[in-house]
Amino acid sequence: MKRDIVIIGGGIIGLMSAYFLQKAGRKVTLIDENDITNSTSFGNAGLLSAFDKAPLSHPGVVGETIKMMMKGESPVKLHPKFDYQLIKWLLSFVKNANEERLKKTLILFEKYGQDTIDLYKQLQKEEGLDFDFHHTGMLSVFTEQDTYDKKLKQYNYEDSKRFEVLTKSRLEEYLPCASSDVKGAILFKKNAHLDPQRVMLEMKRYLMENGVEFILNEKIEDISFSDDKVISVSSKSATYEANTFIMATGYQTLLAKRRKKQLLMTPAKGYSITFEMPEELRPKTSCLFNDLFIVMTPRRGDVRLTSKLELGSSNPAIVKAQIDSIKENFKKYTKPFEMKNIKEWSGFRPLTPNDRPLFGKDEEYDNLVYAMGLGWLGMTFAPSIAKTLENLIVNDLKNEEDDDVLLFSGFYQGESPKKHLFCLIN
Ligand SMILES: Cc1cc2nc3c(=O)[nH]c(=O)nc-3n(C[C@H](O)[C@H](O)[C@H](O)COP(=O)(O)OP(=O)(O)OC[C@H]3O[C@@H](n4cnc5c(N)ncnc54)[C@H](O)[C@@H]3O)c2cc1C
């Protein structure tokens, strides 16, 4: 039996792609090696933070990381091993951390971040879904005087729709658990947050009820090609033929390797700690502890901390020392309170070296579509990218015919599409 569209991977980008394609009248099958209850898309912080937040590869990032390492507060851990791909990734990351790219990236973040916020709102309104979504801004909290001063210089103008530098009493109101060691905070009002687990489960339920076929606990291990098409994908026990295939496998690159391509992205492990805390100390909105790379997100009934960026490992084990380090760093700047009913989690960001996701059609097999490399901002951009992919597939466009692919996909670096068509390293 030949299917219409087969999506491999039911993380946020897989589910969002399924939604827009199904809405456009296509028959969608979604295959996942698990049961879609605990991927990276479940345990993350749930920030929709495309505004007023620097990309990961920004000028000064290396110096900042070294400074944090010296203070014992660095979120970054590099597992020492000789890995040619990782070295290439690191070199590209450093090369990309420049002013020119920063400016471009910030503009693109705002464009696709706003599209995403609008789409989440639309989905909730039109489909009656509940994402625990709050458009209440993101508080950027500073624990170092010099970074706070630097930020204040950058925001030395009035724009009350965009940001508010909080006074001491406003800080107490927004983040009542902050200790007196916090130097200051700026509320960036355009950002939002949601509960990623709720988004995933709501989307899965909606898609199941609306005719999307789910094939769960089925790992796709191989792809068959003709001269210019993908014919089928297969697991150990079954083969699936389709008109179009979408590769949405998160940090896992097994299938890209079967296509004999290596995507320039690396798994970057992170952790979350979800717990209950005293009501009177809960933050009013999501908070990014800027100098610690710790995010605190209030949710219905609990609060979630996320942090850490480990490169060079794909071991999903929850390492106690990393959890303890997040708690210790967090406690240095907050009033004492007891975390109750703690749930610990780890997951992998599919991280590209320039904060650009990898999406678009394969240059040789045009019924193979990539939806990869969403990095540390997958919740922030997935709906917008999925909508672009729907347009590409439904209107049978080439990458070059879609401005959004050309502008935002990491497969294009602003040069000739032919030259850079798929910034994949052979
Ligand atoms: C600690 C942490 C905090 C984060 N915080 C935020 C945040 O605040 N805001 C934000 O925007 N982003 C955040 N992110 C990033 C975000 O979580 C990711 O970008 C996003 O979840 C990636 O989604 P995905 O669909 O690409 O991958 P995944 O969620 O990993 O989904 C991929 C799916 O593919 C399946 N799969 C893989 N290989 C196969 C195969 N061969 N066959 C079948 N199925 C397969 C997997 O089982 C999985 O279900 C955070 C990430 C981490 C780790």
Side-chain angles (χ1 to χ4, degrees), residues 157-164 189-190:
Y157 60 94
E158 291 266 315
D159 186 346
S160 60
K161 282 208 176 111
R162 189 170 193 107
F163 71 91
E164 176 188 345
K189 297 182 180 178
K190 295 195 163 206

Side-chain angles (χ1 to χ4, degrees), residues 8-14 31-34 39-41 44-47 218-220 248-252 254-255 268 270-271 306-307 345 347-350 371 374-380:
I8 308 141
I12 186 68
I13 189 66
I31 306 178
D32 199 287
E33 65 176 328
N34 295 308
S39 66
T40 303
S41 300
N44 64 69
L47 293 188
E218 179 85 320
K219 180 173 179 154
I220 298 300
T249 54
Y251 73 95
Q252 300 193 66
L254 171 77
L255 295 179
Y271 293 82
T306 60
S307 188
W345 171 94
F348 294 93
R349 308 168 185 90
L374 277 85
W376 65 314
L377 292 169
M379 304 308 293
T380 304

Side-chain angles (χ1 to χ4, degrees), residues 87-104:
I87 293 169
K88 258 191 151 153
W89 187 96
L90 286 167
L91 290 174
S92 177
F93 178 78
V94 173
K95 191 173 148 226
N96 277 295
N98 62 62
E99 282 297 340
E100 191 197 346
R101 181 165 282 279
L102 174 72
K103 270 187 203 152
K104 275 188 200 159

Side-chain angles (χ1 to χ4, degrees), residues 223-426:
I223 313 184
S224 300
F225 303 94
S226 69
D227 285 347
D228 59 354
K229 293 262 179 246
V230 171
I231 305 288
S232 62
V233 294
S234 46
S235 66
K236 277 203 165 62
S237 56
T239 294
Y240 303 93
E241 290 185 9
N243 296 322
T244 303
F245 297 85
I246 302 182
M247 199 188 287
T249 54
Y251 73 95
Q252 300 193 66
T253 50
L254 171 77
L255 295 179
K257 284 180 186 147
R258 291 279 183 269
R259 160 72 185 92
K260 295 201 173 53
K261 297 286 188 187
Q262 279 193 318
L263 300 168
L264 191 50
M265 64 181 214
T266 192
K269 185 174 176 182
Y271 293 82
S272 65
I273 309 169
T274 308
F275 55 88
E276 290 163 22
M277 69 186 285
E279 190 57 38
E280 66 279 10
L281 292 181
R282 275 169 61 90
K284 209 169 165 184
T285 191
S286 60
C287 307
L288 168 65
F289 286 73
N290 226 60
D291 304 303
L292 303 170
F293 195 65
I294 292 178
V295 173
M296 183 183 200
T297 321
R299 299 143 44 84
R300 230 169 257 164
D302 57 25
V303 169
R304 177 170 286 173
L305 293 185
T306 60
S307 188
K308 299 293 174 194
L309 200 141
E310 283 182 44
L311 300 173
S313 161
S314 48
N315 179 353
I318 295 172
V319 178
K320 188 174 175 309
Q322 290 288 67
I323 294 282
D324 289 348
S325 149
I326 298 173
K327 287 185 189 164
E328 273 164 34
N329 287 336
F330 176 73
K331 280 180 186 168
K332 280 189 209 166
Y333 301 98
T334 48
K335 293 172 187 157
F337 66 86
E338 194 192 345
M339 295 180 179
K340 287 194 177 151
N341 292 328
I342 297 176
K343 291 183 203 91
E344 296 161 358
W345 171 94
S346 79
F348 294 93
R349 308 168 185 90
L351 207 61
T352 61
N354 54 12
D355 297 275
R356 302 280 178 90
L358 300 169
F359 62 99
K361 286 184 177 173
D362 189 281
E363 77 275 28
E364 244 176 273
Y365 305 100
D366 86 338
N367 67 337
L368 175 59
V369 178
Y370 298 89
M372 304 282 285
L374 277 85
W376 65 314
L377 292 169
M379 304 308 293
T380 304
F381 297 124
S384 168
I385 294 170
K387 188 93 184 74
T388 299
L389 294 180
E390 178 240 309
N391 182 43
L392 203 64
I393 293 166
V394 168
N395 295 311
D396 196 19
L397 302 179
K398 292 188 190 320
N399 290 334
E400 294 93 309
E401 294 171 309
D402 189 304
D403 290 349
D404 294 315
V405 177
L406 292 179
L407 275 171
F408 197 34
S409 172
F411 289 143
Y412 297 93
Q413 303 301 307
E415 295 174 41
S416 148
K418 287 277 177 283
K419 188 173 161 207
H420 269 287
L421 197 57
F422 287 3
C423 178
L424 303 165
I425 302 169
N426 283 302

